[in-house]
Amino acid sequence: MPILYSFRRCPYAIRARLSIAASGEQVELREILLRDKAPEFLETSPSATVPCLKVDDTVIDESLEIMLWALQRADPENWLRPEEGDLDEMLALIADCDGPFKRNLDRYKYDTRYPDAVRETEQAGAADFLWHLERRLTDRPWLFGSRGSLADYAILPFVRQFANADRSWFDSQDWTSLKAWLEAFENSFRFQSVMPKWSPWRAGDTPVFFPSEANPTS
C-alpha cells in the first residue's frame, strides 16, 4: 500500500489528502511531528517536507503531483475535467496560488521571520489574488463551474490559512462570493473527513489507513 507522510494542519498536506479521498485510493497515513521528524520520513523525503508519498520505489515529494497521481488513477468526481476551462487553465491558476500568493501569505502570517516584510504590504499583495478569485466566483459557486475541481481543492487550503491569520479582518472584507466558497468548504463533509487528529507516527505503530473507509461525496 502507498505510504503518505502528512501533517494535519499543513495546507499542502490537506490538498493531498483531499485528492486521495476523492479518488477512492487508500494509503497508509503516517502523521509527522514537524519539530521531531521521524528518521524513516527523513530517509524517504528528499526535501524533508510534507506531504510525501511513497509508492513502491517511487517517491512523490510535491503536493500537486500527489493530487495528480491520485486523480489520474481514479477521478469519479471529474476534478481533472471541469465544466468550464481545462486542466491547463486550472494549473495556471494553481501556479498563481503556489507562487506569488503563497509568498505573500508566508510573509504576512510569519512576518517576524522576514526582516524586510511589511505585514500590511504582504496582506495587500495576497488580497489582489483573492479579488481575482472573488471575480471568478461571482457568477459560479466554484472556480470552474457548478462543481468543485482540482483548482478549488488545491487553492482552498491556502485561502483558509490566509483567512485564519486574521479572521476578523478577513471577514470584514467585501469578498461575498469568496467567503461563501470558503465557508462551504470548511463546513463540508469532504473537508471534515480529511481533518481528524492523528497521533504522530513512529516505527512499529499499528498502521493507520486513509481514508479509513470509502468517503461519500460532499
Side-chain angles (χ1 to χ4, degrees), residues 8 18 185-196:
R8 178 179 178 271
L18 285 166
F185 170 66
E186 291 178 320
N187 292 332
S188 68
F189 174 83
R190 170 57 45 75
F191 175 66
Q192 298 297 330
S193 72
V194 305
M195 295 298 289

Side-chain angles (χ1 to χ4, degrees), residues 105-186:
L105 167 57
D106 286 344
R107 293 164 65 87
Y108 165 60
K109 183 178 173 112
Y110 308 110
D111 59 298
T112 56
R113 300 181 186 176
Y114 302 92
D116 62 332
V118 178
R119 196 168 193 268
E120 293 75 15
T121 301
E122 305 300 340
Q123 184 187 66
D128 287 342
F129 178 69
L130 297 187
W131 276 115
H132 175 60
L133 299 184
E134 170 70 16
R135 289 189 289 273
R136 288 195 65 91
L137 293 163
T138 297
D139 56 0
R140 56 179 71 82
W142 298 88
L143 291 172
F144 286 84
S146 64
R147 56 175 172 78
S149 66
L150 175 73
D152 297 279
Y153 291 106
I155 294 171
L156 273 161
F158 296 93
V159 175
R160 173 178 175 268
Q161 186 182 48
F162 178 85
N164 287 339
D166 187 341
R167 199 71 187 220
S168 296
W169 180 87
F170 181 87
D171 289 342
S172 72
Q173 303 305 300
D174 293 329
W175 296 319
T176 304
S177 300
L178 179 82
K179 287 187 285 189
W181 175 66
L182 176 61
E183 182 179 6
F185 170 66
E186 291 178 320

Side-chain angles (χ1 to χ4, degrees), residues 81-112:
R81 293 176 290 279
E83 288 183 339
E84 303 172 15
D86 56 28
L87 178 59
D88 286 341
E89 290 178 64
M90 291 194 294
L91 291 175
L93 188 60
I94 295 168
D96 288 340
C97 171
D98 291 2
F101 175 70
K102 185 60 167 64
R103 181 179 187 276
N104 287 136
L105 167 57
D106 286 344
R107 293 164 65 87
Y108 165 60
K109 183 178 173 112
Y110 308 110
D111 59 298
T112 56

